[in-house]
Amino acid sequence: MKDVARVIVTYYCPRNCPNCCNEHISDVPVVKFEDLLEYKELVITGGEPMGIAPRVVEMIHRLSESGYKGKLWLYTSCLKTARWADRAVLQEMNGITYTLHHKPSQKDLSDVRKLNKYLLDNLDNRAHDRSDRLLIDSRCYTEEVLSIIGLYDTGTKHWSNIKSLVWKDDECPIHDNEELIYYDLERE
């Protein structure tokens, strides 16, 4: 069994961030669903996978029905706890990495605040076997932002890691034990 697959499930993303990792990758191998079963861990990413959250829910259920016992992780920056599919995905993950990008809108900040509260109330990693990480672009990692998203109200212990993220031009590292693959969930 292989270690970890970072699975691009869609290239669509509503953000259009400068220096997006997807602008710097090419020749990503396309895989079939059955190939996903060969990995110990799957990291669902994109583009923005939560843009097709109902399809991600279907994928998770299909993995389970196929006997997949590995860990599931999610990389996202557009999770909305008000949507049923987003909550369903959160429930099935071993953890998420949520990124708050540079120049967040009031809606972005509100969404992170709601996610922060949702994780504390429902999926606190101290009571569940999870690893949830919050990455905040270093250009907006301020006391004001930390306050707006509720970290001073709720504390931070329900997050496994909160850190400032420094974006590096033309750099999107893949860990040594990871393979980057593309599974076209939109067409499946």
Side-chain angles (χ1 to χ4, degrees):
M1 186 167 264
K2 300 174 185 176
D3 282 342
V4 181
R6 190 178 301 188
V7 186
I8 296 172
V9 295
T10 180
Y11 282 104
Y12 168 75
C13 180
R15 295 209 173 271
N16 298 314
C17 298
N19 298 318
C20 174
C21 283
N22 285 346
E23 293 175 4
H24 307 292
I25 58 174
S26 60
D27 300 324
V28 178
V30 178
V31 300
K32 297 177 184 167
F33 176 81
E34 295 74 26
D35 298 325
L36 301 176
L37 303 173
E38 298 175 12
Y39 292 90
K40 294 177 187 173
E41 298 183 25
L42 299 174
V43 180
I44 299 170
T45 189
E48 178 48 63
M50 298 315 287
I52 57 169
R55 299 303 315 264
V56 174
V57 172
E58 292 171 6
M59 176 183 163
I60 293 166
H61 290 166
R62 189 170 170 203
L63 285 164
S64 179
E65 290 170 1
S66 297
Y68 184 75
K69 302 284 187 218
K71 292 190 175 195
L72 296 171
W73 308 98
L74 175 70
Y75 284 11
T76 184
S77 65
C78 293
L79 202 141
K80 303 191 184 326
T81 58
R83 297 188 301 211
W84 72 268
D86 291 34
R87 290 190 310 274
V89 170
L90 274 174
Q91 294 288 334
E92 299 297 330
M93 292 292 133
N94 292 98
I96 65 168
T97 297
Y98 189 93
T99 305
L100 181 63
H101 290 287
H102 181 52
K103 297 182 180 177
S105 68
Q106 289 301 315
K107 182 74 173 121
D108 292 335
L109 295 170
S110 175
D111 289 343
V112 179
R113 183 178 183 86
K114 291 173 187 174
L115 173 62
N116 180 52
K117 182 85 169 91
Y118 184 86
L119 288 175
L120 177 64
D121 292 346
N122 299 284
L123 298 170
D124 188 330
N125 70 46
R126 294 171 291 181
H128 297 84
D129 185 21
R130 293 181 61 87
S131 177
D132 296 312
R133 302 181 307 165
L134 176 59
L135 306 180
I136 302 172
D137 188 301
S138 60
R139 296 167 290 183
C140 64
Y141 192 94
T142 64
E143 296 296 317
E144 180 183 18
V145 165
L146 297 178
S147 177
I148 290 170
I149 64 177
L151 294 179
Y152 295 133
D153 300 335
T154 64
T156 60
K157 299 294 185 201
H158 56 290
W159 290 94
S160 303
N161 191 337
I162 299 174
K163 69 179 186 177
S164 174
L165 178 65
V166 177
W167 293 102
K168 298 177 182 171
D169 291 345
D170 300 328
E171 187 175 311
C172 297
I174 302 289
H175 299 289
D176 290 339
N177 68 334
E178 285 186 354
E179 288 182 53
L180 182 64
I181 59 176
Y182 176 56
Y183 172 62
D184 191 348
L185 189 55
E186 292 179 286
R187 282 194 180 171
E188 182 70 20

